[in-house]
Amino acid sequence: MINNQVTQTAFPIILCILAVFLFCCLIRAIRGPKIADRLMSVNMMGTIVMVMICILALYLNEGYLVDVALVYAMISFLAVVLITKLYMGIYAERKKEEEMMKEDLFMQDYMERSEFSDITDDTEE
Amino acid sequence: MFEWIRLILGLVLLAISLFIFASEIIGIFKMKYVLNRMHAAAMGDTLGLLCALLGLMFISGLNFTTLKMVLVLVFLWITSPVSGHLISRMETYTNDSLTHYLKKEELGELYVKEALYDANESSGGSEAENDKSEEDEK
């Protein structure tokens, strides 16, 4: 690792630019109309943070900060897998409930109509 | 002398990775549909990580820190496309108004068994659901 003057002045500039990118991703997370938008931007924020941690590891001359980046990558991957599976399950359950409710309404309607037709047949004859 | 070459190469690669991240962020703001934005994010992430970590490896030299960065890069190249695919699959599964701008083709009898919820697990087997496999843009 180098304690050069060039790197000591260049790294803070790069870190500031990456921080601006982080803020832009957060805007996308707030604005995005769908859930996939928000999940994707949180994933991107994790990747940018990982690059920032690796740059910090060289800026402060501490080699063990790269381990933190590795653990962060694992946790963010786990989070994405969990949230997608959870949301797909919730959506499927909601659809199944809607279909069952539609069937109930259909049966009720059918029963009412059959009773009504019976009554009209009797009175006409 | 070699140190200067290493340093300049590393800084150039870091600047290229900044440009790639910038174009990725422009991409997720300019695109109109979710799947396009997902495409921009996945591509930009992969290439940006490569250039940034490669530049940092050049600056650091032959070190143990460099080996750890190689490990981070390999792990991210394996898991980041998987998470991108999972998010896109969730989007096509839960979006009801997808046929307004996409033309869907179903591949014949391609049924994918997905145990997404435990609805009929007691009756002996998971339900087979038709997966919307192939989509083309209009």
Side-chain angles (χ1 to χ4, degrees):
Chain A
M1 281 164 268
I2 304 180
N3 247 339
N4 216 349
Q5 249 191 359
V6 178
T7 59
Q8 293 293 104
T9 54
F11 279 162
I13 300 177
I14 296 180
L15 282 173
C16 287
I17 297 181
L18 281 176
V20 170
F21 290 164
L22 206 63
F23 186 66
C24 293
C25 287
L26 189 63
I27 290 183
R28 182 84 242 160
I30 294 176
R31 249 180 67 181
K34 301 234 159 243
I35 291 187
D37 277 327
R38 302 190 167 111
L39 199 50
M40 167 197 84
S41 69
V42 165
N43 207 9
M44 271 176 64
M45 278 164 67
T47 305
I48 291 180
V49 160
M50 246 176 284
V51 172
M52 287 170 78
I53 291 178
C54 290
I55 291 179
L56 268 177
L58 290 187
Y59 180 54
L60 298 174
N61 243 340
E62 314 268 3
Y64 57 84
L65 289 179
V66 188
D67 306 343
V68 177
L70 189 60
V71 170
Y72 192 71
M74 291 184 197
I75 289 185
S76 89
F77 173 61
L78 181 70
V80 165
V81 167
L82 263 171
I83 292 183
T84 52
K85 211 160 181 71
L86 185 72
Y87 186 62
M88 278 164 92
I90 288 180
Y91 182 78
E93 265 194 32
R94 207 188 300 163
K95 266 214 144 171
K96 196 166 181 255
E97 268 190 30
E98 272 184 21
E99 274 193 28
M100 278 172 60
M101 273 179 59
K102 272 190 194 169
E103 275 185 21
D104 278 344
L105 288 173
F106 178 68
M107 287 303 290
Q108 275 184 18
D109 209 18
Y110 181 70
M111 298 294 273
E112 281 175 12
R113 289 220 182 123
S114 61
E115 284 171 13
F116 203 63
S117 64
D118 282 341
I119 294 173
T120 53
D121 281 346
D122 280 338
T123 54
E124 271 181 8
E125 281 185 339
Chain B
M1 163 68 173
F2 278 126
E3 277 203 11
W4 277 105
I5 291 182
R6 236 177 43 196
L7 192 69
I8 291 182
L9 201 59
L11 284 177
V12 161
L13 274 170
L14 267 178
I16 289 178
S17 89
L18 277 184
F19 171 70
I20 290 174
F21 275 125
S23 69
E24 176 186 354
I25 289 198
I26 291 181
I28 66 173
F29 272 106
K30 276 272 190 182
M31 301 282 183
K32 261 170 66 177
Y33 302 113
V34 183
L35 290 173
N36 294 354
R37 286 182 222 138
M38 191 62 234
H39 191 246
M43 297 270 181
D45 267 351
T46 313
L47 196 58
L49 269 170
L50 169 75
C51 290
L53 286 179
L54 210 59
L56 286 174
M57 279 192 257
F58 273 128
I59 291 178
S60 152
L62 275 179
N63 218 346
F64 202 60
T65 309
T66 311
L67 278 177
K68 285 188 204 168
M69 284 185 190
V70 169
L71 192 63
V72 168
L73 189 65
V74 164
F75 182 78
L76 272 166
W77 268 9
I78 291 177
T79 64
S80 177
V82 173
S83 41
H85 173 75
L86 281 173
I87 297 178
S88 308
R89 188 175 69 159
M90 176 187 87
E91 168 65 26
T92 58
Y93 185 71
T94 62
N95 201 353
D96 284 329
S97 63
L98 205 61
T99 53
H100 289 173
Y101 54 88
L102 283 181
K103 184 176 67 173
K104 260 191 273 197
E105 290 181 12
E106 301 192 359
L107 295 179
E109 295 178 354
L110 191 66
Y111 281 91
V112 174
K113 272 192 183 180
E114 305 235 13
L116 286 174
Y117 59 94
D118 305 336
N120 295 339
E121 285 243 328
S122 57
S123 68
S126 47
E127 268 201 4
E129 286 187 13
N130 192 7
D131 197 10
K132 302 160 189 166
S133 326
E134 192 153 305
E135 298 165 357
D136 285 335
E137 292 216 2
K138 262 188 189 167

